[in-house]
C-alpha cells in the first residue's frame, strides 16, 4: 500500500511540472533594471508563462519554464526581459523577448558633467533628462551620457 501511495504521489507531482525545450534552456533571463542590457537588442515580441493551478515558488518555477518555452518559439530569441510576475492564486510571468545576438558593447563618455546642485527643482532635472534622451543619450547622475561607437 505504501508503495502504491508513493508511486501515485510521484505521478501527480511529475504531471504538474513543465518540461523545457532545448531552445528554451539557453535563453537568458533579465530582471530588475536590466533594460539597459537590452538597449542594443532587437525586440521580437512578448511571451507569457503560467502555472495553471499552482501558486507560490513552485508555481513560479513552472511559469518560468512555460515562459521560456513560449519565448523560444520566436526565431533567434536569446533573452527575456521580465516585465510582470505574480504568485497567487496561480503563478504568471510576462516578458519581452529579444534577439541580442548582434549585441556590441558601446563605449560611453560623459559629454557634460553637471555641477553639484542642491535642492534643484525636479522639473528642471526632468526637462534636462528629456532633452538628453531626445539627442540619444541617457540621463545618469545629473549627467547626459551619449554612446560613441
Amino acid at each position: 500500500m505504501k508503495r502504491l501511495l508513493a508511486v501515485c504521489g510521484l505521478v501527480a507531482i511529475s504531471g504538474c511540472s513543465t518540461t523545457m525545450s532545448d531552445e528554451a534552456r539557453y535563453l537568458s533571463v533579465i530582471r530588475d533594471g536590466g533594460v539597459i542590457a537590452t538597449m542594443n537588442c532587437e525586440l521580437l515580441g512578448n511571451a507569457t508563462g503560467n502555472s495553471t493551478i499552482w501558486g507560490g515558488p513552485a508555481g513560479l518555477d513552472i511559469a518560468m519554464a512555460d515562459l521560456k518555452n513560449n519565448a523560444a518559439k520566436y526565431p533567434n530569441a536569446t533573452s527575456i526581459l521580465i516585465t510582470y510576475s505574480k504568485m497567487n492564486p496561480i503563478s504568471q510571468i510576462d516578458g519581452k523577448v529579444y534577439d541580442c545576438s548582434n549585441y556590441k558593447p558601446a563605449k560611453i563618455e560623459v559629454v557634460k558633467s553637471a555641477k553639484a546642485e542642491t535642492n534643484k527643482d525636479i522639473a528642471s532635472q526632468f526637462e534636462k533628462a528629456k532633452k538628453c534622451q531626445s539627442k540619444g543619450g541617457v540621463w545618469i547622475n545629473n549627467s547626459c551620457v551619449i554612446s560613441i561607437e
Side-chain angles (χ1 to χ4, degrees):
M1 184 65 170
K2 289 181 182 179
R3 288 184 184 171
L4 179 61
L5 286 174
V7 169
C8 289
L10 288 174
V11 169
I13 290 172
S14 66
C16 297
S17 64
T18 299
T19 305
M20 279 193 280
S21 67
D22 289 337
E23 295 83 6
R25 292 182 199 282
Y26 296 104
L27 291 173
S28 63
V29 176
I30 303 166
R31 306 169 198 243
D32 300 331
V35 175
I36 292 174
T38 61
M39 280 177 53
N40 295 325
C41 301
E42 178 186 354
L43 177 63
L44 301 175
N46 299 305
T48 298
N50 294 295
S51 64
T52 59
I53 61 170
W54 293 95
L60 279 179
D61 289 342
I62 295 169
M64 180 60 76
D66 190 42
L67 171 68
K68 285 184 160 188
N69 282 333
N70 291 330
K73 293 175 184 174
Y74 286 96
N76 302 322
T78 61
S79 303
I80 307 166
L81 174 66
I82 303 300
T83 57
Y84 173 80
S85 66
K86 73 172 187 168
M87 287 198 305
N88 292 316
I90 63 168
S91 294
Q92 176 184 341
I93 304 175
D94 297 336
K96 293 184 177 189
V97 183
Y98 288 92
D99 174 7
C100 298
S101 59
N102 292 324
Y103 176 77
K104 296 176 186 165
K107 294 180 181 179
I108 59 172
E109 180 180 320
V110 176
V111 175
K112 177 184 173 193
S113 295
K115 297 176 184 173
E117 300 175 23
T118 57
N119 298 327
K120 188 68 176 167
D121 182 18
I122 292 175
S124 172
Q125 291 292 320
F126 183 72
E127 289 302 316
K128 289 179 183 178
K130 281 178 36 180
K131 186 175 180 181
C132 176
Q133 287 179 336
S134 71
K135 297 189 182 288
V138 179
W139 189 256
I140 302 173
N141 296 330
N142 296 328
S143 298
C144 185
V145 179
I146 297 176
S147 173
I148 301 173
E149 293 186 15

